[in-house]
Amino acid sequence: MSRSLPDPEGSAPASSRETDPQKIPAAFQIEELRVAFGSRPVLHGISLEIPARQVTGIIGPSGCGKSTFLRTLNRMHEFTPGVRIQGRVRLFGEDIYDPKVDPILLRRRVGMVFQKSNPFPTMSIQENVLVGLRLAGIRNRSLLEERLEEALRMAALWNEVKDRLHAPGTELSGGQQQRLCIARALAVRPEVLLMDEPCSALDPIATAQIESLIRDLREHYSIVLVTHNLQEAGRTADFTAFFLEGKLIEFESTKKLFTNPHQKQTEDYLTGRYG
Amino acid sequence: MSPSPTPRAPQRKTRTDGFPKGMGDSPRYRMRKILDRLFQIVSALAAIVVISPLLLIFVFLLSSGGSSLTWDFLTQLPKPVGETGGGMANAVVGSCILVAVATAIGAPIGVLGGVCLCEYGGPRLRAAIRFTADVLNAVPSIIWGIVVYSWVVLRMKTFSGLAGGLALSFIMIPLILRTTEDVVRLVPPAYREAGLALGIRRSQVILHIVLATARRGVVTGVLLAAARVAGETAPLLFTAFGNRVWASRLDEPMAALPLQIFAYAISPYPDWHRQAWAGALVLLALVFLMNAVVRILSKGKTR
């Protein structure tokens, strides 16, 4: 793969990096986060510091609240009826649930990529990448062009689509569509990228491409990666948090968590005794 | 000793699950086959009954009014009583203007109403408004004529194209609202979420992403509603009223094809009767055309 923003260290193994989460400045500081839908509690007091410019994987069986957790980080629960959120989430020190914070502006700092690629069907590749900027009111042609190329190169898609930027985004293959969605999120230049099982609908080759992309992107972004694929967390994440039934069981460097978990529940899950 | 039974499968007329054993030669099976065939025939007959009126009407209109459907008919004003010839140009244009006015009023209200209902309304509000729209759709169209007569015509002290357009728009709004709501609801939530996650404001997400995704269905709904009101007579009787000359302004009485057909059909003059048939033919052709456009639009639907 060719890329204009080369990242020689990006593909370095996780072990050569800092392995103690406490020693790295935090992107998110989460304190006693509780989420309930109606009368059904989903998260029971999560406290966690997500390190900046690292890939933090979140693993756990289905229904453990990992997606719910991810969506509290960019306030995507805003429109869910009957949701109650307690506790504190700070993004680089700023409380994102402060009434003064505009969730729109927050989401421009915290991008999100979903499980199923969802390029807007009425828009071309170019329009898809630029829609976040355009609808935020940016009209400057040269700036838009610059961001278009930057985002597509970052998402390792530029070379594949540069000659057909006006083709519909839905014409691309599944893996390309997912990278288009990543480019779309990157075009607004967020600081954090939330990824909700981005590879679960992709074939192994497309998955490998996205995973290598994620490893490269951590030089510029703090990434939170929800996955139910343990190998994926092992391959991509610097740190891994294990969730079970709405609780954070363990948070460690990926290597430690996978080779030498402190908690029995973690070990049970890793060895396949849950879901 | 009883003879030792050789183990073999029991001989049965039918399998335990009730199916006959053979390959379709039992009388019961033959009966079913006949019933199946009969069902097909009855369905086909029903389909013919549905389609044939349209063909019959078209043929009948062609034979009765085809000869009067001349270039003059489409370009000339009506001639005074007693003179032969003349046409319905003012009514054709008038109908187009009335439908345009009705669409200009009804489409934005109906579309925005449908979108808001879908995007902002809770389930209970949505059900209530849907029910209301369904009731409004069932209101006889002459009621809308009376409403607009008392609201607008009496106040303006004149029949007018505007009043006619308004009456038609009242019929269009609930129709458009329902179709819009239906197609907007079909837009997958994933697109809304993706838009919101990019830091796009909700109103922009709705306008530029949700509505853009559903636009073909929305346009189809608007066109269908327009085709429906193009043929309405009752709401125009005491709003647009009709006019035998060109109406140059929206606050003057305006001619419309259905009104002109009505007036000519109940007149005692054979020449006018023929023109009424021709007018009906033109009206049918217009509605047919609009429906054809709808077909083409909805056929091109990708995804």
Side-chain angles (χ1 to χ4, degrees):
Chain A
M1 272 198 289
S2 51
R3 211 166 283 135
S4 83
L5 286 169
D7 243 339
E9 282 143 351
S11 45
S15 54
S16 74
R17 300 165 63 100
E18 181 59 59
T19 54
D20 184 357
Q22 305 300 327
K23 287 190 187 149
I24 300 173
F28 282 108
Q29 291 163 292
I30 297 128
E31 290 163 35
E32 279 301 303
L33 178 71
R34 289 167 199 279
V35 178
F37 296 115
S39 59
R40 188 171 58 93
V42 180
L43 295 179
H44 311 268
I46 305 279
S47 295
L48 177 64
E49 292 206 349
I50 293 177
R53 303 213 167 182
Q54 307 282 332
V55 180
T56 301
I58 297 181
I59 57 170
S62 301
C64 70
K66 52 192 192 300
S67 284
T68 301
F69 171 75
L70 194 72
R71 295 161 69 91
T72 57
L73 301 183
N74 65 345
R75 292 182 59 172
M76 279 300 277
H77 292 302
E78 210 89 326
F79 302 110
T80 316
V83 66
R84 277 184 301 127
I85 299 171
Q86 293 168 311
R88 184 158 300 181
V89 180
R90 287 209 192 86
L91 172 62
F92 295 111
E94 226 176 304
D95 183 355
I96 66 168
Y97 281 92
D98 189 288
K100 273 176 277 179
V101 169
D102 182 350
I104 303 295
L105 300 180
L106 168 72
R107 292 189 198 117
R108 288 182 193 159
R109 296 175 62 190
V110 183
M112 191 167 197
V113 176
F114 296 85
Q115 182 171 4
K116 262 187 75 186
S117 64
N118 50 7
F120 299 125
T122 55
M123 297 182 194
S124 67
I125 293 170
Q126 172 171 344
E127 287 166 334
N128 260 292
V129 175
L130 294 179
V131 64
L133 295 168
R134 283 239 171 88
L135 294 187
I138 291 171
R139 294 273 173 278
N140 183 335
R141 290 282 287 277
S142 60
L143 176 74
L144 289 174
E145 263 168 45
E146 183 192 314
R147 290 286 189 91
L148 172 72
E149 185 171 344
E150 175 193 288
L152 284 171
R153 280 193 191 279
M154 285 258 205
L157 193 59
W158 175 252
N159 286 328
E160 288 160 64
V161 301
K162 64 182 177 203
D163 300 321
R164 46 174 178 152
L165 292 170
H166 297 286
T170 44
E171 241 176 41
L172 299 173
S173 74
Q176 287 174 325
Q177 284 193 22
Q178 194 59 298
R179 276 179 283 151
L180 177 62
C181 292
I182 293 173
R184 182 175 67 182
L186 295 181
V188 291
R189 286 205 178 149
E191 296 154 48
V192 183
L193 206 52
L194 309 178
M195 305 183 115
D196 194 354
E197 302 187 14
C199 301
S200 65
L202 300 179
D203 64 71
I205 292 172
T207 299
Q209 282 175 327
I210 302 256
E211 285 179 5
S212 113
L213 174 62
I214 292 172
R215 285 193 295 271
D216 290 351
L217 286 173
R218 77 176 160 200
E219 289 305 310
H220 307 271
Y221 303 92
S222 313
I223 295 173
V224 187
L225 172 75
V226 162
T227 177
H228 57 209
N229 182 333
L230 293 178
Q231 286 81 19
E232 184 166 302
R235 284 189 299 255
T236 0
D238 301 301
F239 298 94
T240 300
F242 171 57
F243 277 46
L244 187 65
E245 290 169 1
K247 295 192 192 80
L248 173 68
I249 303 298
E250 192 163 354
F251 179 53
E252 263 304 340
S253 80
T254 302
K255 202 177 165 203
K256 246 190 224 167
L257 186 103
F258 274 72
T259 51
N260 190 13
H262 291 300
Q263 304 293 326
K264 185 165 183 317
Q265 286 155 308
T266 313
E267 195 183 333
D268 286 349
Y269 181 67
L270 293 175
T271 50
R273 247 165 280 180
Y274 294 114
Chain B
M1 290 296 287
S2 57
S4 70
T6 43
R8 53 188 275 219
Q11 294 281 318
R12 280 183 306 206
K13 274 267 162 17
T14 55
R15 294 184 357 213
T16 45
D17 54 10
F19 282 109
K21 187 169 155 264
M23 292 296 281
D25 47 358
S26 75
R28 200 165 130 210
Y29 183 80
R30 242 174 286 147
M31 191 59 209
R32 286 187 176 206
K33 238 167 131 177
I34 291 169
L35 279 177
D36 186 54
R37 196 87 199 134
L38 205 65
F39 181 78
Q40 259 183 22
I41 292 166
V42 171
S43 307
L45 279 176
I48 289 168
V49 170
V50 169
I51 296 167
S52 52
L54 180 64
L55 284 174
L56 288 176
I57 291 170
F58 206 69
V59 169
F60 191 61
L61 284 179
L62 266 181
S63 69
S64 327
S67 58
S68 303
L69 185 56
T70 58
W71 185 241
D72 274 2
F73 180 83
L74 292 172
T75 55
Q76 300 283 306
L77 286 178
K79 286 268 164 67
V81 179
E83 280 182 54
T84 52
M88 287 193 183
N90 60 338
V92 175
V93 173
S95 262
C96 293
I97 293 174
L98 285 170
V99 171
V101 169
T103 308
I105 301 170
I109 297 176
V111 169
L112 284 181
V115 169
C116 287
L117 195 56
C118 203
E119 298 295 319
Y120 293 111
R124 205 169 299 164
L125 175 76
R126 208 181 301 164
I129 295 191
R130 250 205 319 251
F131 178 74
T132 313
D134 287 344
V135 172
L136 288 180
N137 275 333
V139 168
S141 56
I142 196 159
I143 306 283
W144 295 121
I146 297 168
V147 167
V148 173
Y149 177 78
S150 62
W151 280 3
V152 180
V153 177
L154 287 183
R155 249 167 247 185
M156 286 174 68
K157 300 197 170 53
T158 172
F159 297 109
S160 63
L162 189 67
L166 195 63
L168 295 183
S169 76
F170 283 161
I171 300 170
M172 287 179 81
I173 289 169
L175 283 171
I176 295 175
L177 187 126
R178 287 293 267 120
T179 48
T180 304
E181 199 216 335
D182 283 344
V183 292
V184 165
R185 211 159 19 140
L186 287 179
V187 176
Y191 296 136
R192 293 178 183 86
E193 287 201 330
L196 290 171
L198 285 171
I200 302 171
R201 296 206 177 271
R202 202 167 174 203
S203 54
Q204 305 272 306
V205 169
I206 291 171
L207 282 177
H208 293 279
I209 293 169
V210 176
L211 210 50
T213 308
R215 67 190 163 190
R216 219 188 287 264
V218 172
V219 171
T220 303
V222 171
L223 277 176
L224 275 178
R228 152 85 201 277
V229 299
E232 284 288 348
T233 321
L236 299 179
L237 284 173
F238 23 75
T239 54
F241 191 69
N243 194 338
R244 291 186 58 78
V245 293
W246 290 107
S248 50
R249 296 153 50 128
L250 278 179
D251 59 354
E252 292 173 352
M254 187 172 277
L257 265 179
L259 287 176
Q260 203 94 334
I261 294 165
F262 178 64
Y264 276 36
I266 59 173
S267 77
Y269 316 112
D271 188 43
W272 281 22
H273 290 171
R274 276 194 299 279
Q275 293 215 357
W277 285 119
L281 192 60
V282 172
L283 187 58
L284 192 71
L286 278 180
V287 173
F288 194 75
L289 199 75
M290 283 169 126
N291 277 289
V293 172
V294 169
R295 292 296 305 181
I296 293 164
L297 271 181
S298 46
K299 212 184 203 166
K301 194 173 282 181
T302 50
R303 290 180 52 87

